[in-house]
Structure formats: C-alpha cells, structure tokens
Amino acid sequence: MNSVLECTPEELAERFREQGIEPFRARQVAGWVFGRGVRAFEAMTDLAQPLRAELASGWRTTALEPEGELRSRDGTTKLLLRTEDGGRIETVIIQEDRRRTVCVSSQIGCSLDCPFCATGRLGLLRNLRTGEIVDQVLQARDVLAARGEHPTHMVFMGMGEPLLNLRHVIPALRILTHPGALAFSPGRITVSTAGVVPQMPVLGRAIRVRLAVSLHATTDEVRDRLVPLNQRFPIASLLEACRAYPLPPRGRISFEYTPIRDLNDSTEDATRLVRLVSGIRAHVNLIPLNEHPASSFERAKPERVDRFAGVLARARVPVTVRQSRGDDILAACGQLGASDPPLAAAAVGR
Ligand code: SF4
C-alpha cells in the first residue's frame, strides 16, 4: 500500500496524478497529516466522501503502532513503537529547559557494535523505512501536544547509524523540513555519525543539517576499541571529512566524547583533542557514560571530566559537559534497546 509518510507534497501530487486523483489534493492531505496530525482520511472534511474512501483503500498514513511510554524522573520520555512486521524501536523526547528534542532511531539495532552501547549488542536487524522515521516524529509531536508542548529540535542519535541508512534518512529529512509537510528548520536537526566517512559528503550535499560525530577517543588505538568502525575509517580520515563538510550558517560540528575512567579521560587526551579539532568549527560535548547491563566500562570521575573540559575551554574550544537524561528508564545515550530483551529476538523482515 502507498504511504503518505514517504512522500513530500510534490511527490504525493505526482503519485495522485498517476492514480487519476487531482494533484492539488496532495496539499490538502499533507496539510491534514503533517500539519494537523490527522491520520484518518474519514476526518479530512474538505475531501469529497468518495475520495476519502478511495484514499483509505489505497493509502496509509501511519507506519508505527505505539506500544508504551516511559517517563523519567527528569522528564525524559521514551516511546516504545512497533513496526508493521513486528520490529520494536525506541524514540526519546528529551526535556531540557525550553528545548524539547526528539531523538530519532534510524535502524532496528546497529551493525557497528560499539562496546559501550546496548543497541550495538543487538546487531543490525534492519534499516527503518522513510515512513517509519517520519512517524517517530509525528508520534512524539502528538505526545508533546497532549502536554501543550511541541518539538523544538531533532537529533538522529537513537538506535542505529543514520549514515548507513541514507537511502531512507535523506527522504525523511526532506519531508521533515519541507514547508508543506513538517516544516522543521534544518538548522535544528542534528544527524549523528560514528564516522561513516564516505557517506558524510553524501549527506552534506543532500541537505544542510547539523552534524555530530561520535569521536570518543584521540588516538586510533583507543578509538579502534571504542568505535570499531575506526579500523576502516581512522581519525585522520574522519577529521578530513569533517573539514570538508558543508555546515549550515553559524553551524558547528558537534564532537561527542564520552570520558571513560582511565581510558580516554586524561589531560593529554584533552590536549590531543584540541589539536585534532583545530581549524574545524567545532563544539565538544562531554557525555557521561551511561551504564547498561552489557557494558563493563566505568564513568570517568567528575573531577577528571572538569579538568578535561578546562583544557578545552582554555584553548577556546567550545565545550559542554552534559548531564545524563533518562538513565532511570534506559533512555539515555547508548541504552536504547537495553530495556527489552525480546527486542533482540523481534521477528523482522528484510
Ligand atoms: S553507539 Fe551508535 S553507532 Fe555505535 S553501536 Fe550504538 S547505535 Fe551503533
């Protein structure tokens, strides 16, 4: 069946034309689904009854079933969503001051197997389709709307490596940012990568969103351990791709760095990090390690993190020490997929 969630308004108009439906109806349907969050064709009162019935029999407006919702002490919300073929994914809403950030998943599981990450333990079950990515944002928007709030930012930092699913992530970004669909500003969307170097220019050429790079180490020796993808694309090639990445105006590349006790949290590491990012419009986020049942790494001591941040700040590298959000409901970075053992065994297609 066709899915409205996989089309920009222009693409929808084209598909309608092919099916003998007046193309201008696409704008109306997109307005209902993306603008007002109305999914039932029956409720689209400016469409004639026979057209509503025709659309209902040939088009879908949903891709995911809500399965549950967990709310953390700090306000973080984790949505548990089910795909039509029985796969389970997690989408997180992070609440920070006035920001409401939707953390989107791009794959079920992940092939990259970073040892501190629960999602990586699952292996890759499959890529999410465009409509499944878009629907996560629509469902998060509904949850926020019920509280009188709305999403202000979006990060592709949930389950999976988005740059290994650009075939679906780029069309989803086009729909999310299209003025006739979700109309989200590209400058408020961050796509995170563990360093899939050949795909970075592909993303940059397709759409000017912000980029976050999970760096986590300053030597190839340590990064090979923490982000095994480094064995294929070492730090030097990753930073070269960062230098060439077309940033949005006033944009910076966020370098995500998780200080781990006695592994990458020394002042020597901080000094090397300053050298590595020199010449790049960079922002370093120091993210506390979130423990999960499958990881043996320990969080760096706060005084070491402060010292690390101090080295960066003195070198005028913008740095933020992040608080962990949602760790009591396993919704924090690296914890998605850890909460639900059946997730690993979920029967999914493709
Ligand atoms: S940290 Fe990201 S890239 Fe690494 S295994 Fe987890 S989801 Fe995949």
Side-chain angles (χ1 to χ4, degrees):
M1 202 188 270
N2 302 297
S3 172
V4 172
L5 303 187
E6 311 231 322
C7 300
T8 61
E10 288 81 9
E11 289 161 348
L12 195 58
E14 190 50 42
R15 302 279 294 280
F16 279 5
R17 192 194 316 274
E18 288 162 12
Q19 295 180 0
I21 301 168
E22 297 150 308
F24 77 91
R25 299 293 181 192
R27 199 167 23 87
Q28 289 172 294
V29 170
W32 283 107
V33 175
F34 297 123
R36 301 196 220 176
V38 173
R39 309 288 193 114
F41 289 110
E42 193 44 47
M44 299 181 188
T45 46
D46 54 358
L47 305 181
Q49 189 60 49
L51 178 57
R52 289 187 226 170
E54 183 184 349
L55 290 172
S57 66
W59 286 83
R60 283 180 305 154
T61 57
T62 56
L64 300 169
E65 274 299 311
E67 276 217 313
E69 194 180 313
L70 296 170
R71 189 115 189 232
S72 156
R73 284 189 298 268
D74 62 27
T76 303
T77 304
K78 180 159 79 170
L79 309 182
L80 308 172
L81 304 166
R82 181 188 277 269
T83 62
E84 282 174 0
D85 55 2
R88 287 170 181 165
I89 57 172
E90 301 178 0
T91 304
V92 178
I93 305 169
I94 304 155
Q95 183 173 317
E96 255 179 322
D97 304 322
R98 290 191 174 167
R99 277 189 182 212
R100 298 293 177 267
T101 303
V102 182
C103 181
V104 178
S105 292
S106 55
Q107 298 181 310
I108 308 181
C110 182
S111 62
L112 296 184
D113 200 18
C114 303
F116 55 86
C117 171
T119 308
R121 305 278 102 176
L122 301 175
L124 176 64
L125 298 177
R126 74 164 168 83
N127 284 331
L128 289 176
R129 299 183 188 101
T130 300
E132 292 166 336
I133 296 169
V134 171
D135 206 4
Q136 292 175 64
V137 178
L138 292 177
Q139 304 237 8
R141 187 180 66 174
D142 288 348
V143 167
L144 285 169
R147 303 178 197 160
E149 298 174 341
H150 62 273
T152 60
H153 295 76
M154 212 181 291
V155 292
F156 281 66
M157 292 187 186
M159 301 169 76
E161 164 56 56
L163 269 63
L164 291 178
N165 185 20
L166 286 183
R167 187 160 75 92
H168 297 107
V169 166
I170 289 174
L173 287 169
R174 293 210 167 105
I175 294 164
L176 294 169
T177 56
H178 192 291
L182 269 289
F184 220 87
S185 160
R188 289 172 177 245
I189 299 178
T190 301
V191 175
S192 173
T193 181
V196 187
V197 167
Q199 297 303 312
M200 288 165 62
V202 178
L203 174 68
R205 277 196 300 270
I207 190 157
R208 288 282 170 100
V209 290
R210 290 172 183 263
L211 184 72
V213 172
S214 301
L215 191 62
H216 300 312
T218 59
T219 65
D220 284 323
E221 192 194 345
V222 175
R223 195 164 191 269
D224 282 353
R225 269 184 74 193
L226 289 177
V227 186
L229 182 68
N230 195 68
Q231 292 160 26
R232 286 176 60 200
F233 306 115
I235 291 176
S237 66
L238 174 57
L239 293 175
E240 201 182 308
C242 289
R243 288 196 170 82
Y245 187 81
L247 288 168
R250 296 192 307 280
R252 292 180 180 273
I253 295 182
S254 297
F255 288 94
E256 313 293 309
Y257 195 101
T258 298
I260 297 173
R261 187 176 298 186
D262 299 331
L263 185 67
N264 63 358
D265 61 344
S266 67
T267 48
E268 291 76 25
D269 279 300
T271 306
R272 264 195 301 273
L273 182 52
V274 169
R275 274 203 302 273
L276 288 175
V277 301
S278 83
I280 300 176
R281 272 150 58 198
H283 183 115
V284 174
N285 280 315
L286 298 178
I287 303 170
L289 179 74
N290 291 305
E291 284 157 20
H292 66 79
S295 166
S296 58
F297 292 112
E298 287 181 60
R299 192 180 277 197
K301 290 190 174 146
E303 56 273 22
R304 301 265 288 184
V305 176
D306 287 346
R307 222 174 299 150
F308 195 106
V311 172
L312 295 171
R314 279 192 295 283
R316 297 180 188 277
V317 175
V319 56
T320 305
V321 180
R322 296 266 170 215
Q323 304 298 316
S324 186
R325 318 289 303 180
D327 51 352
D328 55 326
I329 55 165
L330 297 179
C333 289
Q335 292 182 314
L336 298 188
S339 55
D340 189 3
L343 182 60
V348 291
R350 284 217 309 206

